[in-house]
Amino acid sequence: MCPGVPAVMSTLLANINAFYAHTTASTNVSASDRFAASNFGKERFVKLLDQLHNSLRIDLSMYRNNFPASSKERLQDLKSTVDLLTSITFFRMKVQELQSPPRASQVVRDCVKACLNSTYDYIFNNCQELYSRQYQPTGDVNKEECPPEEQGPSIKNLDFWPKLITLIVSIIEEDRNSYTPVLNQFPQELNVGKVCAEVMWIQFSQDMKYAVEEHEKHRLCKSADYMNLHFKVKWLYNEYVKDLPAFKGVVPEYPTWFLQFVLQWLDENEDVSMEFMHGALERDKKDGFQQTSEHALFSCSVVDVFTQLNQSFEIIKKLDCPDPKIMAHYSRRFAKTIAKVLLQYSAILKKSFPSYCDKEKIPCVLMNNVQQLRVQLEKMFESMGAKQMDSEASDILNELQVKLNNVLDELSSTFANTFQSRIDECTRQMASLLYQIKGPVNANSRNLVEADSDNVLRPLMDFLDGNLMLFASVCEKTVLKRVLKELWRIVMNSLEKTIVLPQSNDTFGTIFSAAKDLGQLSKLKDHMSGEAKSLTPKQCAVMDVALDTIKQYFHAGGNGLKKAFLEKSSELSSLRHALSLYTQTTDTLIKTFVTTQHAQGSGVDNPVGEVSIQIDLFTHPGTGEHKVTVKVVAANDLKWQTSGMFRPFVEVTMIGPHLSDKKRKFTTKSKNNSWAPKFNETFHFILGNEDGPECYELQVCVKDYCFGRADRVVGIAVIQLRDVAQRASCACWCPLGTQVHMDDTGLTVMRILSQRSGDEVAKEFVKLKSETRSAEEGR
């Protein structure tokens, strides 16, 4: 149509509509009846309107060509064309009274979509040429001249797609700014700019998805190129599509198209991160692991490593992935990268750490580095979503935090152990000073005990003062506390081994000479080679005060270890328990052992035989004395190999308090070459009336009699009289084990009694409880 014609036709048809549709006061004849009564060729008029309607639809379906945005006149014609289409619809409804003629808004919407579909096809098929013509200067020497067959997308590069996105955006913007204000007759039903964005995105999505699938098969481009395209697609969606009614609240599909390429980029990024970490650590090593600043106690490699990791994650964050499932894939993969980089970093530090332990500050800086890894990891955990993060990714990072914590514990232990020999030397000097202290303990000697304690502690305190001041200035607080815990452990153990339960090399040391793998009894052997020393009550009191002083020193007024940790530490408890037992009599210690060691022979997994015992317990009604009758009936299934004659016999020993002046041991006669010997021998033990049966136990030991040398132990069983007391009589088969089992209390009693070389009862008790099955001949 010529310019201005649609407006004239629209006005004309509007007047015709008004003539027929508006009834007057003088007549109630309907518009359709009035039109039917006309004699100007109404059938031909209706036919002309139908032809006009189709013509207008064709024009609107190519509105971008027929009504270019650059011409104001044509834009006005576009508006008039829609008005004319609306008038035709009105005529059909009001004058012809058709039941459901096509709504003008829907017709225009369909025409707009048809135009946009053809527009998309056109820019897709001519993308390179259109982009070159519109966005590259005419005289540009780098202007690309693409042959027709290369106008479309290629699997060799991604150049096509950013150009297509640019053209799509130009069309959406043109529809927004030029056509939407013109086609405003249906504000609730039609927004050309939004329809344009919707149609373009739907068409683009289909082509982009197919192209990405093809690229995934060949992967001829760099992962960074795919990432850049991903960002452009994300921008297009967020800028023009995200808020459209059809897409609002719907998780978009585009992140799934690029998932494999993002994961590929993360794989490559892991290699880059590892290489960067090694370089940062090497530079840090050359610089001598210097602190980054006065207040930052760690070195620069930690900062460098996390700067690189944070930059990588920022790229992932900027993808602004709207699909939680896809984001979970990214988080899991990146969490594995973090774990690999930090574990490798800490492994390198751990391997080289011992070589720096003789340096003054470097070990502390390296431990600070690991602690800073943990701090920065926590921050990264928060930035990755914390509790909202994918559970698998969260588990990876939590496990990593635990592993780094263990590394820090290992480094702290390694560092503290380098002071072991110096601390041992300090405690030996303390022991020398302590053993010089004489005299009794009474109420008037309290001040003297405190003075003696200060004097005894001087070697240790001099050492700790010189080192802990340095640690406090160069260690982060968390690291300092770990080092203090390790030093506390070493100091307590050294005090126990050197002073409270010192080593001895008297006859008790030979008890274990034949035993190679004694399990827990090996602890006892460790404390039985050296000079025997026994503390006096006053020396024990001095040690009690010394322990309180050491505890306060490590607490440091709240700046060091917590009081609760110090009080509950097993090392201090063990030391105090040993001191509390130290001044007790041999009878009291043996009573403590019997009443606390309830599992010495129970639960034998691999018995080496069994012995049949019958026990009768009688208490005199007048004197209260206890008499125990023990009948050794037989032994059975004795597991023993020997090249000579096997002559088994049974040794029965009563263990408990107040037996120093009583018969404590009986033995049966030996039997020749019998692995199931019958004995049927009865023995009587008198216990006295000082303690009840629950304070006594029987130790039954089957031995192989050897003439001219020590008898060899076959197996051991322990029967506690408290299990017999209620029934007064008991007959049972007891499994024979290879040795006696005991807990820490039992070991402490053994170690104290092992120092009492002049006490025959103590020597006999330690020998009994230290016996273990002898090596068999031929084994």
Side-chain angles (χ1 to χ4, degrees):
M1 287 187 190
C2 297
V5 172
V8 174
M9 294 181 69
S10 176
T11 303
L12 178 61
L13 187 55
N15 291 333
I16 293 172
N17 287 339
F19 174 78
Y20 286 109
H22 295 166
T23 58
T24 62
S26 59
T27 177
N28 287 326
V29 179
S30 68
S32 61
D33 290 339
R34 294 178 67 191
F35 181 67
S38 302
N39 60 357
F40 71 96
K42 53 186 177 296
E43 290 81 3
R44 183 173 175 78
F45 182 74
V46 170
K47 190 174 182 181
L48 285 171
L49 280 185
D50 290 344
Q51 290 176 349
L52 179 61
H53 190 273
N54 289 335
S55 176
L56 294 176
R57 287 178 59 189
I58 292 170
D59 286 347
L60 287 174
S61 295
M62 294 185 291
Y63 71 88
R64 305 186 71 83
N65 293 333
N66 295 327
F67 309 98
S70 58
S71 172
K72 289 186 178 180
E73 288 183 346
R74 296 305 289 159
L75 287 178
Q76 189 58 44
D77 286 342
L78 174 61
K79 185 177 183 66
S80 299
T81 300
V82 174
D83 290 340
L84 179 57
L85 201 66
T86 305
S87 295
I88 294 173
T89 303
F90 184 86
F91 181 85
R92 289 174 171 177
M93 289 177 62
K94 298 298 183 179
V95 178
Q96 289 184 275
E97 293 185 352
L98 299 180
Q99 287 300 314
S100 54
R103 292 168 57 86
S105 60
Q106 188 60 45
V107 171
V108 175
R109 185 181 192 82
D110 291 343
C111 292
V112 168
K113 283 188 174 181
C115 179
L116 291 170
N117 282 324
S118 61
T119 301
Y120 177 84
D121 289 341
Y122 177 73
I123 64 172
F124 185 90
N125 294 326
N126 302 276
C127 179
Q128 303 282 10
E129 181 185 342
L130 291 172
Y131 183 86
S132 178
R133 186 195 311 160
Q134 190 168 347
Y135 294 100
Q136 289 182 317
T138 308
D140 191 348
V141 294
N142 296 320
K143 189 173 178 179
E144 298 176 12
E145 293 292 339
C146 294
E149 64 273 12
E150 294 186 17
Q151 282 284 336
S154 167
I155 61 168
K156 296 178 182 178
N157 60 64
L158 299 170
D159 298 344
F160 172 84
W161 297 101
K163 294 176 181 178
L164 180 62
I165 290 172
T166 302
L167 294 175
I168 288 173
V169 169
S170 69
I171 290 170
I172 295 174
E173 287 293 337
E174 189 174 62
D175 274 4
R176 270 184 175 183
N177 300 324
S178 299
Y179 290 105
T180 301
V182 173
L183 299 176
N184 61 355
Q185 291 94 330
F186 319 104
Q188 301 301 319
E189 302 172 65
L190 177 63
N191 183 301
V192 177
K194 291 182 177 179
V195 173
C196 178
E198 180 181 335
V199 171
M200 289 291 167
W201 176 257
I202 291 171
Q203 293 279 56
F204 175 77
S205 296
Q206 294 171 351
D207 292 330
M208 187 79 257
K209 182 179 179 182
Y210 173 75
V212 168
E213 288 172 355
E214 286 299 307
H215 273 272
E216 195 173 329
K217 294 175 186 175
H218 302 91
R219 303 210 182 198
L220 300 178
C221 303
K222 295 178 181 178
S223 61
D225 294 335
Y226 291 114
M227 289 291 285
N228 288 331
L229 179 58
H230 190 350
F231 276 109
K232 290 184 184 299
V233 173
K234 181 210 78 168
W235 174 82
L236 176 64
Y237 179 85
N238 287 347
E239 190 71 20
Y240 296 100
V241 183
K242 182 179 179 181
D243 296 324
L244 296 178
F247 298 95
K248 214 163 192 177
V250 178
V251 176
E253 193 182 352
Y254 76 85
T256 60
W257 309 338
F258 291 94
L259 172 61
Q260 294 306 318
F261 299 112
V262 176
L263 293 179
Q264 178 188 344
W265 180 82
L266 286 170
D267 288 342
E268 295 170 5
N269 178 70
E270 181 176 284
D271 296 334
V272 172
S273 298
M274 289 293 289
E275 189 176 335
F276 189 87
M277 178 272 294
H278 284 290
L281 206 47
E282 198 60 38
R283 289 191 301 273
D284 206 357
K285 182 179 178 181
K286 286 180 181 177
D287 294 339
F289 295 103
Q290 297 293 316
Q291 294 176 206
T292 52
S293 69
E294 182 183 350
H295 302 291
L297 302 176
F298 46 88
S299 61
C300 62
S301 56
V302 178
V303 180
D304 293 344
V305 166
F306 270 95
T307 298
Q308 203 279 333
L309 288 173
N310 280 313
Q311 287 173 349
S312 300
F313 186 67
E314 276 302 310
I315 294 174
I316 299 298
K317 280 176 72 175
K318 285 177 181 176
L319 285 175
D320 197 19
C321 181
D323 189 337
K325 292 180 180 178
I326 301 298
M327 191 62 201
H329 280 287
Y330 299 163
S331 297
R332 287 196 290 269
R333 183 62 191 86
F334 191 64
K336 290 175 182 176
T337 294
I338 296 172
K340 186 174 180 180
V341 171
L342 299 194
L343 287 177
Q344 183 64 28
Y345 179 94
S346 58
I348 294 171
L349 287 192
K350 190 165 72 170
K351 185 177 180 181
S352 60
F353 187 78
S355 64
Y356 294 109
C357 282
D358 58 340
K359 305 291 191 294
E360 191 174 38
K361 293 183 179 181
I362 290 180
C364 297
V365 173
L366 296 183
M367 289 187 287
N368 292 341
N369 283 0
V370 177
Q371 172 58 17
Q372 191 61 24
L373 289 184
R374 299 179 65 236
V375 172
Q376 294 298 327
L377 176 60
E378 187 64 30
K379 291 180 180 178
M380 181 158 271
F381 181 80
E382 293 294 330
S383 70
M384 289 176 68
K387 293 180 180 178
Q388 284 72 46
M389 198 193 314
D390 172 68
S391 59
E392 187 179 332
S394 177
D395 289 344
I396 291 171
L397 295 184
N398 284 327
E399 288 172 15
L400 174 60
Q401 190 68 271
V402 171
K403 289 177 181 177
L404 292 177
N405 185 61
N406 293 339
V407 169
L408 188 53
D409 283 340
E410 288 180 42
L411 296 186
S412 303
S413 178
T414 301
F415 181 58
N417 286 338
T418 61
F419 298 100
Q420 178 79 59
S421 59
R422 281 178 276 176
I423 290 174
D424 287 344
E425 178 57 34
C426 292
T427 52
R428 281 193 289 271
Q429 294 175 26
M430 286 176 62
S432 177
L433 294 170
L434 181 67
Y435 296 144
Q436 295 173 22
I437 297 173
K438 309 295 181 185
V441 180
N442 52 53
N444 298 326
S445 62
R446 177 66 185 173
N447 292 335
L448 189 58
V449 166
E450 291 181 357
D452 287 336
S453 172
D454 291 340
N455 185 49
V456 166
L457 281 173
R458 183 169 40 77
L460 179 63
M461 288 306 179
D462 287 346
F463 167 77
L464 292 176
D465 278 338
N467 288 278
L468 296 189
M469 289 293 288
L470 172 65
F471 300 157
S473 65
V474 297
C475 288
E476 290 194 5
K477 193 170 184 180
T478 304
V479 173
L480 177 62
K481 289 196 174 184
R482 288 170 190 256
V483 173
L484 287 177
K485 284 181 181 179
E486 293 298 327
L487 287 175
W488 166 263
R489 173 185 59 80
I490 292 171
V491 168
M492 290 297 106
N493 288 338
S494 184
L495 288 174
E496 183 175 335
K497 292 180 181 179
T498 309
I499 298 177
V500 179
L501 295 171
Q503 303 169 354
S504 61
N505 64 355
D506 59 5
T507 55
F508 301 108
T510 63
I511 293 169
F512 304 98
S513 58
K516 300 298 182 185
D517 300 309
L518 295 180
Q520 58 174 218
L521 286 181
S522 63
K523 298 179 187 176
L524 182 57
K525 184 181 178 183
D526 290 342
H527 295 270
M528 292 186 177
S529 56
E531 183 184 356
K533 291 287 184 182
S534 183
L535 299 183
T536 65
K538 185 172 183 179
Q539 289 167 349
C540 286
V542 169
M543 281 304 300
D544 267 329
V545 175
L547 287 179
D548 282 334
T549 304
I550 296 171
K551 186 181 72 174
Q552 293 299 327
Y553 184 86
F554 274 88
H555 177 59
N559 294 320
L561 301 177
K562 292 182 179 179
K563 279 187 177 179
F565 167 80
L566 296 170
E567 284 293 346
K568 293 177 182 178
S569 72
S570 58
E571 293 83 9
L572 180 61
S573 300
S574 173
L575 203 48
R576 280 186 165 160
H577 183 59
L579 281 172
S580 69
L581 297 176
Y582 218 102
T583 53
Q584 295 180 7
T585 63
T586 298
D587 280 343
T588 305
L589 290 174
I590 292 175
K591 180 179 175 180
T592 299
F593 186 96
V594 172
T595 53
T596 59
Q597 307 306 297
H598 297 156
Q600 297 176 64
S602 63
V604 178
D605 294 327
N606 297 302
V608 294
E610 56 184 358
V611 61
S612 176
I613 299 291
Q614 183 175 324
I615 303 172
D616 295 297
L617 178 63
F618 172 75
T619 303
H620 194 282
T623 62
E625 282 190 340
H626 306 292
K627 180 180 178 182
V628 181
T629 301
V630 178
K631 183 177 181 180
V632 180
V633 181
N636 187 38
D637 194 23
L638 298 177
K639 294 179 172 58
W640 188 254
Q641 288 186 4
T642 179
S643 57
M645 182 180 288
F646 179 37
R647 303 177 66 186
F649 69 95
V650 179
E651 180 181 276
V652 183
T653 307
M654 181 65 68
I655 297 173
H658 312 295
L659 294 177
S660 58
D661 57 343
K662 298 179 176 64
K663 178 76 170 174
R664 297 187 294 275
K665 182 191 297 183
F666 291 94
T667 57
T668 67
K669 295 177 181 177
S670 63
K671 303 294 180 180
N672 292 341
N673 278 340
S674 177
W675 280 260
K678 311 293 185 193
F679 296 104
N680 291 311
E681 296 186 40
T682 302
F683 309 109
H684 303 284
F685 295 95
I686 305 300
L687 304 185
N689 57 8
E690 294 89 344
D691 290 291
E694 69 277 359
C695 298
Y696 296 87
E697 65 184 23
L698 277 171
Q699 181 158 314
V700 180
C701 184
V702 177
K703 295 185 176 182
D704 180 13
Y705 174 76
C706 300
F707 180 75
R709 58 177 172 147
D711 300 327
R712 289 177 294 184
V713 176
V714 176
I716 303 167
V718 177
I719 306 165
Q720 296 193 313
L721 294 191
R722 67 185 182 88
D723 298 329
V724 183
Q726 292 181 349
R727 291 175 288 179
S729 182
C730 171
C732 60
W733 283 93
C734 301
L736 296 170
T738 57
Q739 65 185 50
V740 169
H741 297 274
M742 64 189 80
D743 61 18
D744 287 340
T745 299
L747 283 171
T748 301
V749 170
M750 288 279 284
R751 286 153 62 181
I752 292 173
L753 291 179
S754 70
Q755 298 175 43
R756 300 183 179 181
S757 54
D759 188 330
E760 290 301 321
V761 174
K763 288 171 66 174
E764 179 187 279
F765 175 83
V766 173
K767 184 177 185 301
L768 278 171
K769 293 302 177 184
S770 306
E771 283 187 322
T772 184
R773 178 178 167 89
S774 305
E776 298 176 64
E777 292 181 4
R779 284 292 179 97

